[in-house]
Amino acid sequence: MDKDRSQAYWRANIALIRNLLIVWALVSLIFSILLVEPLNAIQLGRVPLGFWMAQQGSILTFVVLIFIYAVQMDRLDRKYGIRK
């Protein structure tokens, strides 16, 4: 792979990581900590949504983001010819 193509690949990789970390930070910090009071006004079953987000939502989001990362990296690898 030439240098320009390699740089484009890593730029795309870093952009993907950055975007996924932003989503995780928003869910973990904003929804689970800063907005917990307003979210507690909403019930998820018999549990306040703010509590659920702090206990389960951020972890579940992280697991989903791992799968999204794997799928997107597979696409990037194919696009840039990295896949063996």
Side-chain angles (χ1 to χ4, degrees):
M1 180 174 0
D2 65 4
K3 186 177 180 180
D4 290 336
R5 197 162 167 82
S6 178
Q7 286 178 344
Y9 172 77
W10 283 107
R11 272 194 303 272
N13 186 0
I14 290 170
L16 174 62
I17 292 171
R18 179 197 64 226
N19 293 340
L20 294 176
L21 284 174
I22 288 170
V23 170
W24 188 40
L26 286 172
V27 170
S28 298
L29 179 66
I30 305 296
F31 293 127
S32 299
I33 297 172
L34 300 177
L35 294 177
V36 71
E37 292 299 323
L39 288 176
N40 278 338
I42 303 168
Q43 295 289 316
L44 186 65
R46 293 188 308 183
V47 179
L49 182 60
F51 175 79
W52 188 87
M53 285 299 295
Q55 298 302 312
Q56 303 296 325
S58 59
I59 296 168
L60 186 61
T61 301
F62 182 67
V63 171
V64 169
L65 290 176
I66 290 171
F67 285 107
I68 291 171
Y69 176 76
V71 169
Q72 292 297 323
M73 280 307 299
D74 189 47
R75 288 181 184 158
L76 275 178
D77 289 348
R78 276 190 260 126
K79 178 180 177 181
Y80 288 97
I82 304 297
R83 191 167 189 124
K84 295 179 181 179

